Amino acid sequence: MNYKLKNETEFEEEVDLLEDLNPEEIKKEILNQYPPKVARKRNKQFIVNKKIDDDNYGEIQANVRTIPGIISQRGCCYAGCKGVVMGPTRDIVNLTHGPIGCGFYSWLTRRNQTDPSTTPDHDNFMNYCFSTDMQEREIIFGGEKKLRTAIQEAYDTFKPKMISVFSTCPVGLIGDDVHSVTREMQEKLGITIFGFSCEGYKGVSQSAGHHVANNGLFKHVIGLDDTVQEGEYKINLLGEYNIGGDGFEIDRILDACGIKIISTFSGNSSVDHFSNSHTADLNLVMCHRSINYVADMMEQKYGIPWMKINFLGAESTSNSLRKIAQYYGDQKLKDRVEEVIAEEMPAVEEAIAEIKPRLEGKLAMMFVGGSRAHHYQELFSEVGMKTIAAGYEFAHRDDYEGRHVLPQIKIDADSRNIEELDVQKDPERYRPRIDPKELEAEERYGVPLKHYDGMMADMEEGKTFTIDDISQYETERLIELYKPAIFCAGIKEKYMVQKQGIPMKQLHSYDSGGPYAGYKGAVNFYHELDRMINSKVWGHIRAPWEKSPELAAMYANE
Ligand code: CFM
């Protein structure tokens, strides 16, 4: 099969093109380029969406090792622990024990924002990069002494309430005992100090680091402060990291509804919020992949139920608010939520009316870490765009297929490497927030609890792809074949995509934009899409000789 690149007029006719392309054929063509063994493996991760029965969308292989030699966009365990989950917390000194590169490259690149004015001491250490700066000397003789000195120095300089230490690959390889050093320093200094065994090589991706971070937060931080705060409808927002100010917009909306946030994990967060989070009534889970462990463990230990929500997309935001109100079963909250929706939607509808005619029918592809490739599809469909291919870098089968497949997931050696905490009911503080029967039935007033349907359920059958841990080759080829109107991913793919003449939006860091969550965020995002997709610059990206290979020339002496 030989598909030609589209020229510029054909660029306008994406919908017709879709009719001509056969996804199964395309999959075959792409996988054919690999050696047979590699093709067999990628076959299980490269799926044309199709329902196999009422509840199942077909199995996808996920959370397995990347095939050596394939260019993957994944990160490491340290990135998931330090960068993703712990990084957005402003008043813990997050100290990287390792060579300086690990600290430097995880320093403020994720655009997680914070507002120190919301905690009394205004501490904010996020703009510093703390590292033990391991050298050859420590690799040979051990780095524990340097770690001790670094903790002391951080304490003397900043007097923080908490210090956490992140292990990088060499720390694990040489066998430094980070945990005994942190215990010793905790006793000496009298503040909470603890370590994470999040060596970069652990697990198969940053997903392992999320789990390690969840365990650390649960063991060392959550539950330290039993103060019961004033306020109704007390919730924690789990898996919202305030990238580009998303969390600020969600806070604004929840606040308008009269819903009190005890803690966000971990956008715009503070140690004080985490410590007190076990006093909330309900956990709202935004990014299921990175933080579902905390949600489950808080339910087991404290009796706090959790539900999945999504504040990306105006309609999803309204649905999530209604779901929360329904869960509480309280007319006052239901009324307030409807008022807020009525106040917010006119601006959204106005923007859609303006922008949708310019975007309708266009194609998008999105490949992000573990949640956004699903959540962002809502924003695209609100302006009439269609997600033709999507995937996660490191999510697990439940994020694709839904949590009902959890019992079928085989635990392999790489996952067994990560500690599973044995969590029991807290003898004093376990307090079921709802009727224990509802907790057991995982449903309250018709609202499903502990439930997530995953991404595949929301993608069109037969025409679209779900691809796990996509490779650079697959990315290039899909772009050549489909010429999507926009491709969304991260900085590693950005310029490769743009060189193919396709606008590229970073959905990790948002380039320099955001917020995109909630109502105001949705309007921002529609405008951003309009600006990028309808820019004329993409039509000029090909060099003249690519458009017409024959150049007229003459000899100089003629
Ligand atoms: Fe969750 Fe995230 Fe994501 Fe994630 Fe990430 Fe991120 Fe992401 Mo980049 S926590 S899984 S590890 S929503 S940093 S804010 S954008 S890959 S899709």
Side-chain angles (χ1 to χ4, degrees):
M1 189 178 20
N2 189 15
Y3 292 105
K4 280 195 315 229
L5 282 182
K6 285 189 291 177
N7 63 34
E8 277 143 39
T9 39
E10 282 166 338
F11 189 80
E12 299 298 321
E13 296 159 7
E14 275 133 12
V15 182
D16 302 341
L17 173 94
L18 265 190
E19 298 304 318
D20 301 339
L21 296 180
N22 177 339
E24 291 290 355
E25 289 288 309
I26 284 170
K27 172 178 169 174
K28 218 183 282 166
E29 192 231 74
I30 290 178
L31 298 187
N32 260 341
Q33 303 302 312
Y34 290 127
K37 204 172 145 194
V38 175
R40 272 200 301 281
K41 284 190 172 166
R42 289 303 297 153
N43 180 42
K44 296 181 194 159
Q45 291 173 281
F46 196 119
I47 305 293
V48 177
N49 289 309
K50 210 174 293 149
K51 233 176 165 178
I52 50 172
D53 58 49
D54 279 355
D55 302 321
N56 292 294
Y57 289 83
E59 185 174 334
I60 184 165
Q61 195 171 57
N63 193 32
V64 293
R65 292 183 187 189
T66 300
I67 299 161
I70 275 187
I71 303 176
S72 156
Q73 316 297 350
R74 280 177 162 174
C76 68
C77 178
Y78 162 80
C81 183
K82 194 267 182 185
V84 174
V85 179
M86 298 303 291
T89 306
R90 61 176 168 263
D91 50 5
I92 300 181
V93 164
N94 284 328
L95 171 61
T96 299
H97 186 32
I100 193 64
C102 303
F104 183 78
Y105 288 109
S106 57
W107 177 37
L108 287 187
T109 52
R110 188 157 163 259
R111 297 190 71 244
N112 39 256
Q113 299 183 1
T114 204
D115 178 7
S117 72
T118 53
T119 22
D121 52 25
H122 300 188
D123 274 348
N124 179 14
F125 308 127
M126 263 165 45
N127 32 8
Y128 297 98
C129 174
F130 300 95
S131 167
T132 54
D133 184 22
M134 252 184 164
Q135 304 281 331
E136 282 167 8
R137 196 191 147 87
E138 283 79 45
I139 301 289
I140 296 164
F141 298 107
E144 292 178 13
K145 197 168 144 207
K146 203 167 187 189
L147 176 58
R148 231 171 262 131
T149 315
I151 294 174
Q152 184 70 53
E153 191 184 331
Y155 178 76
D156 293 342
T157 315
F158 295 100
K159 295 281 174 328
K161 285 181 237 168
M162 205 173 273
I163 299 176
S164 68
V165 175
F166 300 87
S167 308
T168 56
C169 297
V171 170
L173 296 173
I174 64 172
D176 272 0
D177 189 346
V178 166
H179 303 286
S180 85
V181 174
T182 51
R183 263 197 304 276
E184 179 195 318
M185 293 307 284
Q186 166 160 306
E187 248 162 63
K188 181 175 173 198
L189 301 174
I191 59 166
T192 305
I193 304 178
F194 61 102
F196 291 101
S197 292
C198 57
E199 291 85 352
Y201 56 74
K202 274 211 172 161
V204 299
S205 68
Q206 53 269 60
S207 170
H210 303 148
H211 196 166
V212 173
N214 280 220
N215 288 350
L217 276 173
F218 193 74
K219 272 200 288 198
H220 300 286
V221 192
I222 294 168
L224 290 180
D225 172 13
D226 287 327
T227 313
V228 176
Q229 296 189 51
E230 296 282 309
E232 280 178 298
Y233 322 116
K234 287 186 271 191
I235 58 104
N236 297 311
L237 184 56
L238 268 51
E240 164 44 54
Y241 300 95
N242 205 17
I243 313 298
D246 275 356
F248 294 144
E249 166 67 358
I250 298 171
D251 289 358
R252 180 186 75 82
I253 295 166
L254 292 176
D255 201 47
C257 296
I259 296 167
K260 180 164 175 73
I261 306 176
I262 303 293
S263 182
T264 301
F265 289 75
S266 56
N268 192 27
S269 63
S270 146
V271 174
D272 298 345
H273 304 158
F274 291 161
S275 309
N276 190 238
S277 59
H278 62 296
T279 63
D281 307 320
L282 174 65
N283 280 327
L284 305 178
V285 174
M286 176 100 169
C287 169
H288 175 261
R289 182 64 266 133
S290 61
I291 202 104
N292 69 85
Y293 317 93
V294 161
D296 276 341
M297 292 189 289
M298 282 178 90
E299 185 188 310
Q300 287 157 19
K301 185 166 177 181
Y302 302 108
I304 307 175
W306 70 263
M307 66 159 82
K308 176 78 180 67
I309 45 85
N310 171 27
F311 290 116
L312 287 161
E315 209 182 307
S316 310
T317 302
S318 302
N319 290 342
S320 296
L321 294 176
R322 289 187 175 121
K323 201 168 158 185
I324 300 165
Q326 175 75 15
Y327 165 88
Y328 278 103
D330 177 325
Q331 199 54 45
K332 190 179 82 182
L333 182 60
K334 285 182 186 167
D335 294 344
R336 184 60 199 139
V337 158
E338 291 306 326
E339 277 166 31
V340 170
I341 295 171
E343 282 159 25
E344 299 287 338
M345 280 310 284
V348 172
E349 280 154 9
E350 196 184 317
I352 291 179
E354 183 203 334
I355 293 166
K356 194 171 177 180
R358 293 197 287 265
L359 295 178
E360 189 134 44
K362 291 186 185 292
L363 302 183
M365 293 184 179
M366 61 205 75
F367 290 90
V368 206
S371 292
R372 295 189 168 176
H374 180 199
H375 290 160
Y376 269 83
Q377 293 189 26
E378 303 277 345
L379 277 161
F380 283 94
S381 70
E382 285 173 357
V383 287
M385 289 183 65
K386 185 178 152 95
T387 304
I388 189 78
Y392 303 131
E393 287 167 21
F394 51 74
H396 301 195
R397 275 183 61 198
D398 40 320
D399 303 288
Y400 288 112
E401 298 171 56
R403 278 178 66 93
H404 68 280
V405 301
L406 276 173
Q408 300 163 31
I409 296 179
K410 286 189 226 93
I411 310 289
D412 62 9
D414 290 310
S415 305
R416 224 169 273 131
N417 220 352
I418 313 298
E419 190 185 11
E420 276 291 341
L421 298 184
D422 176 28
V423 182
Q424 303 294 338
K425 286 183 185 171
D426 187 294
E428 278 109 52
R429 292 179 293 178
Y430 181 86
R431 181 170 60 81
R433 308 312 204 256
I434 54 177
D435 188 333
K437 280 194 213 113
E438 292 171 318
L439 212 48
E440 203 178 314
E442 299 179 357
E443 191 182 307
R444 175 176 164 86
Y445 301 142
V447 177
L449 304 172
K450 292 181 85 160
H451 178 86
Y452 178 40
D453 271 337
M455 181 171 87
M456 282 168 148
D458 282 339
M459 294 194 69
E460 194 192 331
E461 283 197 64
K463 293 271 178 215
T464 61
F465 297 97
T466 300
I467 305 169
D468 184 62
D469 190 19
I470 194 172
S471 73
Q472 171 136 352
Y473 168 71
E474 293 159 14
T475 306
E476 279 182 19
R477 197 66 192 123
L478 279 175
I479 291 175
E480 280 169 6
L481 295 170
Y482 282 91
K483 278 274 185 223
I486 194 164
F487 192 95
C488 303
I491 190 65
K492 295 172 217 159
E493 303 95 318
K494 185 165 181 92
Y495 300 101
M496 172 268 270
V497 172
Q498 289 186 166
K499 283 174 190 171
Q500 284 179 274
I502 303 290
M504 199 283 180
K505 178 69 188 167
Q506 290 194 64
L507 282 193
H508 298 260
S509 69
Y510 296 169
D511 295 295
S512 52
Y516 298 136
Y519 299 105
K520 291 193 172 157
V523 173
N524 274 344
F525 196 71
Y526 310 149
H527 281 290
E528 179 74 345
L529 290 180
D530 188 29
R531 183 185 70 78
M532 294 182 78
I533 294 172
N534 293 315
S535 160
K536 295 216 165 30
V537 73
W538 304 108
H540 299 293
I541 206 101
R542 290 216 212 135
W545 57 85
E546 287 178 291
K547 289 182 190 163
S548 92
E550 288 168 34
L551 292 185
M554 61 175 80
Y555 291 110
N557 61 358
E558 268 177 18

